[in-house]
């Protein structure tokens, strides 16, 4: 299989980076994401993990991918996939302005842009994620935009994932 690449963008800020899918390490997750593209949603900056931005989506795979290529210490440029039961994200501590209910599932697609991340959540403990992609171009500009998002706020910003033309 030829290398598959996607573009990850902060739409309002006009910043895009390119990532390569890690089909050899997370084939089921890569297939699920690839088949669902394009995807876009309200961006959030992580509270616990540190240098992470992410968007939440309804489940899009016909079968939820298993944990593949797991990590609890993502490095700069990692794209991670998480699936959460609504009850796991239902506390006010997360700051979501939409209802997240028990009995629902949410998919979290995340980009880690700097070092020293640890996927340890005070409510549930360790939160391993699947590393399904690696940013290969544009990480420095994306990291600068992510830091701006942290300082000035995420309101009105969209995180999008699409196949690279």
């Amino acid at each position: 299989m030829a290398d598959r690449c996607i573009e990850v963008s902060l739409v309002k800020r006009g910043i895009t980076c390119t990532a390569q899918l890690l089909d050899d390490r997370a084939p089921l997750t890569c297939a699920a994401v690839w088949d669902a593209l394009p995807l876009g949603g309200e961006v959030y900056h992580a509270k616990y993990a540190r240098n992470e931005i992410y968007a939440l989506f309804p489940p899009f795979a016909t079968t939820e991918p298993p944990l593949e290529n797991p990590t609890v210490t993502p490095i700069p440029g990692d794209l991670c996939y998480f699936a959460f039961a609504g009850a796991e994200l239902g506390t006010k501590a997360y700051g979501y302005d939409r209802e997240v209910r028990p009995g629902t599932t949410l998919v979290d697609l995340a980009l880690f842009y700097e070092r020293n991340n640890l996927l340890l959540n005070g409510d549930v403990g360790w939160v391993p994620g699947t590393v399904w992609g690696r940013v290969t171009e544009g990480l420095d500009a994306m990291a600068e935009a992510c830091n701006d998002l942290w300082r000035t706020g995420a309101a009105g910003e969209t995180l999008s994932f699409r196949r690279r033309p």
Side-chain angles (χ1 to χ4, degrees):
M1 177 183 298
D3 290 341
R4 295 189 290 179
C5 293
I6 63 169
E7 291 181 345
V8 182
S9 301
L10 287 170
V11 176
K12 184 176 172 184
R13 286 170 171 78
I15 301 295
T16 298
C17 61
T18 300
Q20 180 180 340
L21 273 62
L22 300 177
D23 286 299
D24 58 330
R25 296 181 183 183
L28 299 174
T29 305
C30 288
V33 173
W34 184 260
D35 290 346
L37 295 176
L39 292 166
E42 182 177 5
V43 69
Y44 296 93
H45 195 288
K47 236 176 144 174
Y48 299 105
R50 194 164 182 187
N51 301 301
E52 170 195 3
I53 62 169
Y54 63 97
L56 299 173
F57 303 96
F60 47 76
T62 54
T63 302
E64 187 61 39
L67 185 62
E68 304 177 286
N69 197 28
T71 191
V72 293
T73 55
I75 62 174
D78 278 353
L79 296 179
C80 288
Y81 178 106
F82 306 89
F84 293 108
E88 292 176 286
L89 301 179
T91 69
K92 297 242 182 237
Y94 294 100
Y96 302 122
D97 57 3
R98 64 181 181 204
E99 188 176 355
V100 181
R101 298 179 322 268
T104 61
T105 300
L106 291 172
V107 171
D108 170 333
L109 295 183
L111 179 147
F112 291 83
Y113 63 88
E114 188 50 79
R115 296 176 35 150
N116 299 322
N117 303 295
L118 186 61
L119 300 179
L120 180 60
N121 179 297
D123 294 335
V124 297
W126 295 106
V127 183
T130 293
V131 181
W132 59 275
R134 157 85 50 217
V135 174
T136 57
E137 296 173 28
L139 184 58
D140 289 343
M142 181 59 78
E144 187 175 321
C146 291
N147 275 312
D148 178 66
L149 188 131
W150 172 250
R151 289 188 313 270
T152 64
E157 182 62 87
T158 300
L159 180 62
S160 75
F161 301 84
R162 68 183 183 117
R163 294 179 186 185
R164 186 173 176 189

